[in-house]
Amino acid sequence: MFRLQGSKVLAVDMTGDAVKAKNGSMVAYDGQMSFKKLSGGGEGLRGMVTRRLTGEQMTLMEVTGQGTCWFADRASEINLVNLQGDKLYVESSNLLATDSGLRTGTSFTGLRGASQGNGLFTTTIEGHGQAAIMSDGPAVVLRVSHQYPLTVDPGAYIAHQGNLQQSFQSGVTFRTLLGEGGGEAFQMRFEGDGLVYVQPSERNTIAGDV
């Protein structure tokens, strides 16, 4: 159903089913399509309320029809993720589209959300199907194992999946380790077994320099 045309355009072949996508991300379509704005990125009232409380901005639209619809957003690189009943955690600003077999919701992230200024909740996607996530530059998928935990700059983090435990470290930064005297006030540490998606660019965060 999902396929890439180049690295920056998502093509979705539809046969009467529905797809959720970032509002305003449709760039072209053929056939017969209908578009409906969804009031809140999460499923149901809880998803809507938590997003309003935390100020996390995520507006989705539902596209239904017969034909092909193309999606893109600010020339971002697009990455396809296949889910087989597992859960994907993704920053709302990095989510482009999900197919009808997946459910979206919210999950509490605590300190990381506060440090990034993206609200205290992150978007969850679960079920069986495909999701399209975006990155500023080609994304890198890093494996985390019990033997090899992973530490990530929060500004480069996009998403993660698998049986992973998150923890947060403060006071030590990537840039201070390099002797530059500034950088993110927090690091993210992942332990367990799973995948972490990072981008070769850093979003702005509230943490600032230390």
Side-chain angles (χ1 to χ4, degrees):
M1 185 180 180
F2 283 15
R3 55 188 172 87
L4 294 180
Q5 291 198 201
S7 62
K8 299 179 180 181
V9 178
L10 171 69
V12 182
D13 300 315
M14 304 178 66
T15 57
D17 41 0
V19 62
K20 292 178 183 177
K22 184 176 182 179
N23 194 46
S25 63
M26 186 275 294
V27 294
Y29 69 90
D30 61 22
Q32 299 293 323
M33 299 287 171
S34 62
F35 301 87
K36 176 184 177 183
K37 184 177 179 180
L38 300 177
S39 56
E43 298 280 355
L45 182 61
R46 180 178 179 275
M48 294 171 60
V49 170
T50 53
R51 291 181 189 283
R52 287 176 179 172
L53 287 176
T54 61
E56 183 177 355
Q57 299 298 315
M58 182 187 178
T59 305
L60 295 178
M61 61 181 178
E62 184 178 70
V63 185
T64 309
Q66 301 268 355
T68 301
C69 198
W70 289 269
F71 301 92
D73 186 57
R74 295 172 296 177
S76 298
E77 299 281 337
I78 300 172
N79 314 270
L80 297 183
V81 180
N82 293 308
L83 296 177
Q84 302 296 326
D86 50 334
K87 183 181 291 188
L88 176 72
Y89 298 82
V90 58
E91 292 300 305
S92 62
S93 59
N94 293 100
L95 177 61
L96 179 63
T98 67
D99 70 25
S100 58
L102 298 175
R103 301 179 303 278
T104 57
T106 54
S107 177
F108 182 70
T109 60
L111 183 60
R112 181 181 60 78
S115 69
Q116 289 188 217
N118 288 346
L120 296 180
F121 289 79
T122 195
T123 298
T124 59
I125 305 168
E126 58 185 320
H128 292 80
Q130 286 184 300
I133 61 177
M134 300 179 292
S135 57
D136 185 4
V140 177
V141 185
L142 302 175
R143 165 67 67 178
V144 180
S145 67
H146 294 285
Q147 185 178 2
Y148 295 103
L150 181 70
T151 302
V152 176
D153 188 315
Y157 167 82
I158 301 173
H160 73 272
Q161 66 185 122
N163 185 22
L164 293 176
Q165 294 80 47
Q166 270 183 298
S167 60
F168 307 96
Q169 301 171 332
S170 61
V172 179
T173 76
F174 284 96
R175 290 188 179 89
T176 52
L177 289 174
L178 295 174
E180 296 181 9
E184 303 305 329
F186 301 95
Q187 293 178 351
M188 302 168 62
R189 182 177 174 87
F190 293 92
E191 297 178 89
D193 183 24
L195 301 174
V196 177
Y197 299 78
V198 297
Q199 62 185 6
S201 175
E202 291 184 68
R203 67 175 66 84
N204 291 327
T205 67
I206 286 180
D209 294 337
V210 295

